[in-house]
Amino acid sequence: MIQKPKGTYDIYGDMGKKIRYIEGLFANLVEKYDFEYVATPLFEQSNLFHRSVGDSSDIVRKETYDFKDRGDRDMTLRPEGTAGVVRSYIENKMYGEADLPKKLWYFGSMFRYERPQAGRYREFRQLGVEVLGSPDPMMDAEVISIAVNLYRLLGLKGVKVRINSLGDKESRLAYRDALKEYFSKHLDDLCNDCKERFNNNPLRILDCKVDGNSDIIKNAPKMQDYLNAESVKHYELVKKYLDALDIEYEENPNLVRGLDYYTHTVFEVEASVEGFGSQNVLCGGGRYDLLVETLDGPHTPAVGFAIGIERLITALDYENIQAFEDKHLDIYVMPITEEDKEYSIGLSQALRLSGFSVDIDSLNRSMKSNFKQADRKNARFIMIIGESERNENVLTIKDNHTKKEYKVSIDELIDFLDDMMGECDCEECNHED
Ligand code: ATP
Ligand code: MG
């Protein structure tokens, strides 16, 4: 038997319902913020990720799926969404449009060659937003609020927002020098990866999964002491706007995030529930004022985030939140014999096009097992189609809640169903929890 690739999973059953539900909720939410949908290719030229995510990042060094296509071009399955969106922004000259900032959202698969474990897959899915063209710290706060409000809407309780500022280019360079000076004295005590980071991107050392909690890192110079006046002002404003939005946050001076392109605000949202496990970061994002230029576009300050939907679903499961609506079917149609099927299929189509959900028995079930099936499907109405129904165009309709039976002529059918479909006066529907 052929099995799925390591680190991937099939979406079906409840997982399918949850993913569709959360995507729908997110789409609705970002629409309220006036965002527009964007979708970019699942693979891009490898260079795009080398230049954006960065050659020194763990993602590009160890995690990308790289391949040559049949035309001998270097291609990479996208490991994250921002690079493709920014490429699209530049290539399609969205910067020339009058309605800046461009506010875009996406949902889709990302691919990273990681060691599979709970909350860590090789194909996973992200919901994300990117705002291109606004330098305003107010936008940083609004972007953070979108993630927080998604969690609020879902009813997730144990979430914690962590923020930090990496400052502008000048502040970042000053800090980089300070870190280099400091870590040069401790090189022997760092892990091998960090020794490499020391040369390529010393900021990354702060994010090390191996040395992260060591005293060397805890005592390292703090970004805050190297922010210039403008960067301090930006950061202070972000916090002021977060307060205005009633969003609690924790400042974490060692938060640097895994990607090379961040400036000013960086943030993470964590599932802060005891026992949740180490893969508890649900969302990561930040401001990336220099990325569009790095990819040969015009100067365009930008900010965005990505939410990992699998980890979000794990968090919802953990808090016993059912993130989908219970299944329910409007009408279950039972043809009694073969001769009744033509009539039944036509009627089912007409009902569906009038807006009702309809399922029709295609297994020639007995009457008894058809009734059971209607219950399993949580059908509101059952229509039994036999010779007399066909000939007289009068339908036998059973309300599966109240168990009452009705005879309704075909001309009045839609009106009848519309009337009945709303409020149900059966005990179950009026049961107070
Ligand atoms: P981590 O530190 O856990 O590796 P990251 O910094 O690599 O996360 P980002 O690149 O910021 O993660 O991606 C944003 C979000 O996508 C993460 O917060 C997480 O929820 C999710 N995510 C990242 N990698 C994976 C993965 N391999 N499997 C499932 N979800 C993931
Ligand atoms: Mg990672």
Side-chain angles (χ1 to χ4, degrees), residues 112 114 119-121 124 126 209 257 281-283 308 311:
R112 297 184 193 175
E114 301 201 68
R120 203 174 280 291
Y121 303 90
F124 61 99
Q126 290 183 334
K209 301 265 188 318
R257 310 273 318 117
V281 181
L282 303 180
C283 167
R311 290 190 197 174

Side-chain angles (χ1 to χ4, degrees), residues 122-334:
R122 290 186 172 174
E123 180 183 10
F124 61 99
R125 287 152 191 85
Q126 290 183 334
L127 294 156
V129 303
E130 314 291 352
V131 177
L132 295 128
S134 170
D136 197 326
M138 186 175 73
M139 199 48 94
D140 306 33
E142 276 214 318
V143 161
I144 294 172
S145 79
I146 296 176
V148 170
N149 283 326
L150 177 71
Y151 301 136
R152 282 180 181 164
L153 279 175
L154 284 162
L156 206 59
K157 289 188 193 71
V159 292
K160 196 186 265 176
V161 178
R162 272 199 300 267
I163 60 169
N164 189 25
S165 171
L166 302 179
D168 59 9
K169 198 172 180 178
E170 185 189 82
S171 311
R172 227 183 127 138
L173 284 176
Y175 184 48
R176 185 193 153 101
D177 288 345
L179 283 180
K180 277 214 114 161
E181 156 104 43
Y182 171 81
F183 283 121
S184 67
K185 294 178 220 136
H186 301 281
L187 262 188
D188 290 344
D189 299 318
L190 295 175
C191 73
N192 284 336
D193 275 348
C194 280
K195 287 185 181 118
E196 233 178 274
R197 290 180 183 121
F198 176 80
N199 292 315
N200 302 326
N201 191 347
L203 226 75
R204 252 307 130 53
I205 298 175
L206 303 176
D207 194 32
C208 179
K209 301 265 188 318
V210 182
D211 296 331
N213 288 319
S214 70
D215 284 342
I216 299 176
I217 288 189
K218 280 187 187 143
N219 297 328
K222 296 284 174 270
M223 182 76 231
Q224 268 57 46
D225 300 328
Y226 296 84
L227 294 178
N228 58 19
E230 209 171 306
S231 300
V232 170
K233 191 172 151 211
H234 187 100
Y235 191 37
E236 292 304 319
L237 283 170
V238 172
K239 290 187 274 183
K240 202 177 85 176
Y241 292 126
L242 286 176
D243 290 338
L245 293 170
D246 253 339
I247 292 173
E248 278 179 42
Y249 54 84
E250 182 186 290
E251 292 179 67
N252 181 338
N254 280 353
L255 178 65
V256 292
R257 310 273 318 117
L259 312 170
D260 271 350
Y261 49 61
Y262 287 116
T263 48
H264 290 293
T265 319
V266 286
F267 63 93
E268 283 182 351
V269 186
E270 180 190 288
S272 155
V273 189
E274 211 179 313
F276 184 80
S278 53
Q279 266 41 269
N280 62 357
V281 181
L282 303 180
C283 167
R287 180 164 273 288
Y288 51 93
D289 289 347
L290 306 173
L291 180 60
V292 183
E293 279 159 83
T294 305
L295 295 175
D296 305 324
H299 174 70
T300 307
V303 56
F305 68 65
I307 289 174
I309 201 166
E310 290 82 5
R311 290 190 197 174
L312 169 57
I313 288 172
T314 308
L316 290 165
D317 289 347
Y318 208 89
E319 294 194 4
N320 284 319
I321 296 168
Q322 179 186 305
F324 58 86
E325 270 142 24
D326 278 327
K327 210 175 151 192
H328 136 106
L329 180 72
D330 291 332
I331 302 154
Y332 185 72
V333 175
M334 307 180 183

